[in-house]
Amino acid sequence: MLAWSEIIIRLLLASLLGGLIGLERERKDWAAGLRTHMMVSVGSCLIMIVSAFGFADILGTEHVTLDPARVAAQVVSGIGFIGAGTILFLKQGVVRGLTTAAGLWTVAAIGLAVGGGLYLAAIATTVIALIILWALQPL
């Protein structure tokens, strides 16, 4: 089981990293901004923590097997519903919100990574995502 301090650190880091990406979306006044991105990231982090460590008391019980990857896979699938709500079809051939939907999917993955203790992967993904959103936007 994780120490309570480690749980708090993971949840705070996930909210911070999700917030950095959400801040960029908020700056552009998209439907899913700072708070939405933070909530998706911290929620995904908690789900991973619960999945990986929340059932430690029953591990070792006969006929009980746990697979934390199953829960992570459901987060990835489920976040599609939230992302779909940010996509707008304005008129024939004009679609908006795809980048915001992809950002929500990305912060969910970041939250899962932090929840699983993969801090470097989560931080690197956040930096790469911000580069994509800020540096490539003018292109």
Side-chain angles (χ1 to χ4, degrees):
M1 184 64 186
L2 289 177
W4 68 268
S5 58
E6 180 69 17
I7 293 170
I8 299 298
I9 289 168
R10 289 181 188 205
L11 293 170
L12 289 174
L13 180 60
S15 66
L16 173 71
L17 297 176
L20 291 173
I21 294 173
L23 199 59
E24 193 280 337
R25 298 281 83 195
E26 186 84 27
R27 186 176 62 88
K28 293 185 178 163
D29 203 27
W30 288 105
L34 176 67
R35 295 185 311 156
T36 304
H37 282 76
M38 289 177 79
M39 292 295 290
V40 167
S41 187
V42 77
S44 297
C45 179
L46 178 61
I47 290 168
M48 181 56 103
I49 290 170
V50 170
S51 177
F53 305 103
F55 303 102
D57 58 332
I58 63 168
L59 281 176
T61 306
E62 191 175 349
H63 305 297
V64 173
T65 57
L66 298 176
D67 180 10
R70 290 179 62 197
V71 175
Q74 298 309 311
V75 170
V76 173
S77 297
I79 202 65
F81 288 102
I82 294 174
T86 67
I87 299 171
L88 302 172
F89 298 94
L90 298 176
K91 59 183 178 182
Q92 184 69 23
V94 178
V95 179
R96 298 196 37 118
L98 288 174
T99 303
T100 300
L104 288 169
W105 185 76
T106 302
V107 296
I110 290 167
L112 290 171
V114 173
L118 301 171
Y119 305 127
L120 179 61
I123 292 168
T125 300
T126 301
V127 169
I128 292 167
L130 289 172
I131 290 169
I132 290 167
L133 291 169
W134 286 334
L136 298 182
Q137 198 262 339
L139 300 177

